[in-house]
Every structure is written in C-alpha cells, then in structure tokens.
Amino acid sequence: LHTPISPLDFRYRIIIPIFQGERLISYQGRDVTGKAKLRYKALPPEMSVIHYKQTLYGEQFVAGKQIAVVEGVFDQWRMGDGFVCSYGTALTAYQLKRLARYERVYFVFDPGAEKNALKYARELAALRHGIQVEYIDLELPVGVDPGDLSESEAKKIRRELNFI
C-alpha cells in the first residue's frame, strides 16, 4: 500500500527554526539525502505564527546601512552577519520593503538567478530614491552556491563587500 505523505512529514531534513526577534514563528526543513523533490520544505502558512516569506532570515544580525541577500539559509550561515536569506529568488513585497530600509543592498544569488536579482534591484530603486543595489556574480559553476564556499572564500567576499 502507498501511504500519502503528510505536508508535515519532515523526515530526513534538518529543521531550521525561524525567529522574529526572540519569537519562534515558523520553521523549514532542508533535505539531507539529496533525493527529495523539494530541497527546502516549510511549515504551511496556516500553521505558522507568521509566514516565513514575511521575514529575512538573519536580519537581526545586520548592523549598519548595508545588507546582502542570499537564497538559502545554508548560504546565510556560510556568509554570516550582514547577509540575509530570502528563501529563494522570489521576494515578497514585505521582503522588498524591509530591504528598502538599507542604503546599500547586494544580491548574491546562486548562479543563473541574475534576472531575478536585477528585477528586484529595479523594484528597490522605485521604492527608495538613492538606494544603491548591486548584483554580485561570484562566478560559481552551476550547482554550486554561496553555502558551498570554504570559510576563507566566504571571508574574502565579506571583506570585499565591507562586512568585516
């Protein structure tokens, strides 16, 4: 018999809590097998306190007037403070509004996502006059993302973007 899989089935996933301030609002799971159709799977919106796409993961660790956006939580973990995860390359109006608060925004998306980054750069420019937005092409091979960088490679990028 085939048993249907529940949307709450997070087997073989690392559970990543999502906080707003000190309040747990949702979570997402990342596949560890490399076999799942969805690499990341989130708690359904109706079960979350706040939908995860109404946050920028890691924003509480941004100090100053600049911010860098990566796609996934593992990318944010590797790149560190000042970097936030948008949970993919499709940003919500809320996420754009949050980004518009900063004077400088860097998009450091995975290879092949330049079109999305440029689209959101234009939208941010329309939201806030004078905002500086830049797409950073790490020139990584397809299938390699910021989360795959070594600590020294990530530190070099952080230094070049003035995050350290």
Side-chain angles (χ1 to χ4, degrees):
L1 279 171
H2 177 70
T3 307
I5 297 175
S6 158
L8 296 179
D9 184 357
F10 282 80
R11 284 181 288 181
Y12 309 112
R13 292 179 181 274
I14 295 173
I15 302 301
I16 303 161
I18 301 170
F19 290 89
Q20 189 170 60
E22 294 183 13
R23 183 176 174 204
L24 177 65
I25 59 162
S26 191
Y27 61 84
Q28 115 177 151
R30 185 184 185 278
D31 173 59
V32 295
T33 68
K35 296 177 183 176
K37 288 180 184 175
L38 292 175
R39 189 175 188 186
Y40 288 93
K41 181 178 177 178
L43 188 64
E46 64 276 5
M47 298 185 77
S48 298
V49 176
I50 297 170
H51 190 265
Y52 70 100
K53 288 291 276 187
Q54 300 302 312
T55 69
L56 292 167
Y57 185 91
E59 189 177 15
Q60 68 270 35
F61 304 111
V62 176
K65 299 177 181 183
Q66 71 175 15
I67 191 168
V69 185
V70 292
E71 291 180 41
V73 173
F74 279 38
D75 300 337
Q76 192 279 330
W77 289 351
R78 167 56 64 205
M79 299 309 296
D81 294 352
F83 285 73
V84 294
C85 157
S86 58
Y87 311 101
T89 60
L91 277 67
T92 63
Y94 181 85
Q95 289 173 321
L96 284 169
K97 200 178 215 183
R98 296 292 303 173
L99 291 172
R101 298 173 16 162
Y102 297 90
E103 290 179 10
R104 178 178 290 266
V105 178
Y106 297 104
F107 285 98
V108 190
F109 282 174
D110 297 0
E114 182 178 358
K115 278 186 186 178
N116 286 34
L118 296 175
K119 171 188 171 192
Y120 293 120
R122 287 189 297 275
E123 289 185 29
L124 282 172
L127 282 173
R128 179 175 177 207
H129 179 71
I131 191 170
Q132 297 176 329
V133 185
E134 193 174 338
Y135 170 72
I136 305 298
D137 184 353
L138 298 179
E139 299 179 3
L140 299 172
V142 174
V144 177
D145 62 33
D148 298 320
L149 297 174
S150 69
E151 181 63 31
S152 64
E153 291 168 324
K155 192 172 185 175
K156 180 181 177 191
I157 293 164
R158 292 176 50 71
R159 187 175 295 113
E160 287 178 15
L161 298 179
N162 294 315
F163 282 100
I164 53 174

